[in-house]
């Protein structure tokens, strides 16, 4: 990979943000970003091409290098059109399935990192994984605020069933 290509990838990752506004790679210094950037492959898609579909098996993480993609969160969040630096599928490795559908709006060039290499990276840089988990907890709390006590009641029933009924009310 040329120095120019690596420099472009590093700049893209440094500015990278997931669809929820989290700058996953912010804790990394340039040398760490260079290591990560060198691990990505490149993929291209034409306008209208599906990048991934919700509930399909997830195999990796995408970062938009050029172009626009539309992300459909399955009705949980509003659809969004994202561009350069958008990090897509970073949480999918926890589910082994896609949590959104991504479609190319324009000609798109993506950086792609398979889950094996992504997990290896996360183990080496736990600050990024902690940032991802903090984001998930924040969104979970927001969901609880919206759903109210009814969701917690259901969770307590599940816990009681698992423990034989010994969970305090």
């Amino acid at each position: 990979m040329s120095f120019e290509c690596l420099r472009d990838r590093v700049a893209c990752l440094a500015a990278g943000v997931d669809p929820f506004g989290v700058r996953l790679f912010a804790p990394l210094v340039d040398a760490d970003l260079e290591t990560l950037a060198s691990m990505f492959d490149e993929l291209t898609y034409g306008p209208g091409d599906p990048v991934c579909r919700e509930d399909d098996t997830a195999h990796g993480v995408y970062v938009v290098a050029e172009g626009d993609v539309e992300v459909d969160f399955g009705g949980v969040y509003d659809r969004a059109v994202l561009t350069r630096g958008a990090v897509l599928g970073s949480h999918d490795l926890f589910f082994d399935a896609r949590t959104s559908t991504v479609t190319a709006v324009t000609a798109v060039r993506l950086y792609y990192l398979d889950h094996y290499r992504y997990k290896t990276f996360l183990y080496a840089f736990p600050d990024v994984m902690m940032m991802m988990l903090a984001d998930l907890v924040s969104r979970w709390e927001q969901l609880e605020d919206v759903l109210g006590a009814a969701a917690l009641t259901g969770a307590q029933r599940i816990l009681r069933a698992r423990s034989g009924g010994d969970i305090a009310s």
Side-chain angles (χ1 to χ4, degrees):
M1 173 182 323
S2 72
F3 176 75
E4 297 298 321
C5 181
L6 182 61
R7 188 171 63 183
D8 183 56
R9 285 183 181 198
V10 167
C12 186
L13 293 178
V17 62
D18 79 1
F20 309 102
V22 178
R23 293 193 58 230
L24 292 175
F25 307 125
L28 304 177
V29 298
D30 283 349
D32 298 336
L33 283 169
E34 287 176 4
T35 299
L36 178 60
S38 69
M39 296 168 70
F40 280 84
D41 296 319
E42 287 192 21
L43 303 173
T44 57
Y45 295 87
D49 287 348
V51 174
C52 61
R53 290 187 173 92
E54 184 177 10
D55 296 327
D56 283 354
T57 302
H59 298 287
V61 176
Y62 303 97
V63 178
V64 178
E66 287 179 0
D68 298 331
V69 297
E70 181 183 63
V71 182
D72 178 351
F73 300 97
V76 176
Y77 301 97
D78 292 335
R79 290 177 182 224
V81 174
L82 304 175
T83 190
R84 182 174 168 81
V87 180
L88 307 167
S90 60
H91 291 89
D92 293 351
L93 74 104
F94 295 120
F95 308 108
D96 286 330
R98 292 290 173 203
T99 57
S100 61
T101 296
V102 179
T103 306
V105 175
T106 64
V108 175
R109 183 169 53 97
L110 302 174
Y111 300 134
Y112 173 79
L113 186 63
D114 65 80
H115 278 166
Y116 175 79
R117 290 183 290 173
Y118 189 53
K119 285 179 185 179
T120 301
F121 164 76
L122 291 174
Y123 293 143
F125 298 95
D127 288 347
V128 175
M129 190 177 332
M130 292 305 293
M131 194 178 265
M132 291 171 65
L133 293 174
D135 173 56
L136 286 174
V137 168
S138 295
R139 285 193 278 140
W140 179 264
E141 288 175 343
Q142 291 169 357
L143 184 61
E144 286 178 342
D145 288 345
V146 170
L147 295 177
L152 296 178
T153 302
Q156 289 174 345
R157 282 193 305 270
I158 292 168
L159 290 174
R160 276 195 196 102
R162 286 184 184 165
S163 67
D166 296 335
I167 301 296
S169 297

